[in-house]
Amino acid sequence: MTFTLPSLFLALFLNLLIAPAWAGIEVREFPDPRLEARYQDLIEELRCLVCQNQSLADSKADLAEDLRDEVYTMLMAGKDDREIIDFLVNRYGDFVLYRPPVKTTTALLWFGPFIALLGGIFILWFLTRKRRPETPSALSEEERRRLDSLLKDRQDNP
Amino acid sequence: MLKYILPLGLFIGLLILLGVGLTLNPREVPSPLVGKPAPGFQLTRLDNAEQPVSEEIFQGRVTLFNVWSSWCTACRQEHPVLMDLARRGEVTLIGLNYKDSRAAARSVLEHSGNPYRLSAFDADGKVGIDWGVYGVPETFVIDRHGIVRYKHIGPVTAQIWEEKLAPLVRYLEKQS
């Protein structure tokens, strides 16, 4: 396999682009790969409050680092996922969760899209309903007679 | 008729929704602490590493618990406002010096004045985490029973004091 110079530069450039995504994340030791998987899942589920649209796993913010430390320490101390999530929710509120629980304050967040979808379907139905051609009304007795005679004429003189 | 009202209504509805959404401040995450007792802590005073401070400091008076740092620019912005409040004796200010060095924090107070009755020194930010601090400065209003009543995120300005904090502080002070 050969690399052309431009493609090599492109690869280097792309690498620079993605580098910041992992550059700030510290390396942690786990005695058990399952624990590491739980750690990874947890920090991806939790939101960084400083950057708001990044998870704890992605964020380089100081606070995110501290909170990753807390999560790691609690995991190593044998706490279960529920306890760790509760710890953070008690301090930072539901906002720290990427999947907030269904509550009155989050109802719009959860059901809004479905309500909008139903609304859209209703509007489509409402607008297309009117465009359907009207069914022709039945012919009156006189019209039928005229039609019959016209058809008869055509049959008689093709 | 409905053909025109329906899209117009939808448009207006969307406008209202976006208008509200855009004027909400996403940085103001409601604190789950409001209405609950102040989280406990065991720290030392910023000016004296030997002297302990705990949440009992809040008992008996209405307090503004202000989280600050020497490295925080917005804290410098609110500092004159806090100085002014302290000078007028409007409310007791307690500081939480968050993730700082004692030397740097003390030098700030020496150079620009100390509005705090005292500051607790939270070197590693662990107490900050217990208080749900995610951006410095933050200011909690704590009543005389040690219950958190309000949290303000960002610098305290004269306007925020007048409009939001002062009415609450005065109300809490009137309560027994």
Side-chain angles (χ1 to χ4, degrees), chain B residues 7-24:
Chain B
L8 188 69
L10 274 173
F11 178 69
I12 291 172
L14 205 64
L15 219 59
I16 292 171
L17 203 70
L18 289 177
V20 171
L22 287 173
T23 48
L24 283 178

Side-chain angles (χ1 to χ4, degrees), chain A residues 61-121:
Chain A
D62 238 24
L63 179 73
E65 197 181 317
D66 290 352
L67 292 179
R68 283 195 299 269
D69 272 341
E70 288 288 327
V71 171
Y72 178 74
T73 315
M74 283 188 276
L75 266 179
M76 297 301 271
K79 297 254 163 77
D80 64 38
D81 291 4
R82 192 70 254 159
E83 285 175 293
I84 294 170
I85 285 173
D86 283 349
F87 173 89
L88 285 157
V89 169
N90 285 338
R91 282 156 182 77
Y92 293 99
D94 293 331
F95 193 78
V96 78
L97 304 172
Y98 265 120
R99 283 185 295 169
V102 183
K103 284 185 183 176
T104 47
T105 48
T106 57
L108 198 62
L109 190 67
W110 276 99
F111 304 114
F114 300 105
I115 295 168
L117 182 67
L118 285 178
I121 290 170

Side-chain angles (χ1 to χ4, degrees), chain B:
Chain B
M1 193 59 189
L2 203 61
K3 206 165 118 192
Y4 301 104
I5 292 176
L6 199 68
L8 188 69
L10 274 173
F11 178 69
I12 291 172
L14 205 64
L15 219 59
I16 292 171
L17 203 70
L18 289 177
V20 171
L22 287 173
T23 48
L24 283 178
N25 184 357
R27 302 220 64 90
E28 279 184 18
V29 179
S31 171
L33 291 177
V34 171
K36 291 188 191 146
F41 58 86
Q42 294 295 329
L43 293 172
T44 58
R45 286 174 64 134
L46 173 66
D47 54 4
N48 185 345
E50 305 294 311
Q51 227 176 317
V53 192
S54 77
E55 74 286 359
E56 277 167 32
I57 191 92
F58 302 127
Q59 292 295 326
R61 65 174 82 84
V62 179
T63 313
L64 286 194
F65 190 45
N66 176 253
V67 185
W68 67 283
S69 261
S70 65
W71 45 259
C72 143
T73 2
C75 300
R76 253 167 264 163
Q77 188 190 327
E78 75 173 353
H79 190 266
V81 180
L82 301 183
M83 285 303 287
D84 200 39
L85 292 182
R87 208 174 297 128
R88 288 184 301 179
E90 296 251 27
V91 65
T92 304
L93 278 150
I94 306 263
L96 179 71
N97 184 229
Y98 175 76
K99 296 194 83 170
D100 210 338
S101 84
R102 274 186 209 270
R106 277 187 208 160
S107 120
V108 166
L109 297 184
E110 270 160 33
H111 283 103
S112 34
N114 183 359
Y116 307 106
R117 193 169 168 273
L118 64 90
S119 281
F121 181 60
D122 183 23
D124 54 9
K126 286 255 195 273
V127 169
I129 289 179
D130 280 343
W131 280 75
V133 170
Y134 64 88
V136 201
E138 288 183 6
T139 304
F140 297 86
V141 179
I142 298 166
D143 73 14
R144 64 180 83 231
H145 305 291
I147 309 287
V148 178
R149 302 302 286 261
Y150 188 75
K151 177 183 181 182
H152 173 73
I153 292 147
V156 175
T157 60
Q159 191 188 3
I160 286 191
W161 166 255
E162 280 309 327
E163 285 172 10
K164 292 198 170 152
L165 304 180
L168 177 61
V169 166
R170 281 168 204 150
Y171 165 78
L172 292 175
E173 267 165 2
K174 266 184 228 143
Q175 286 190 320
S176 57

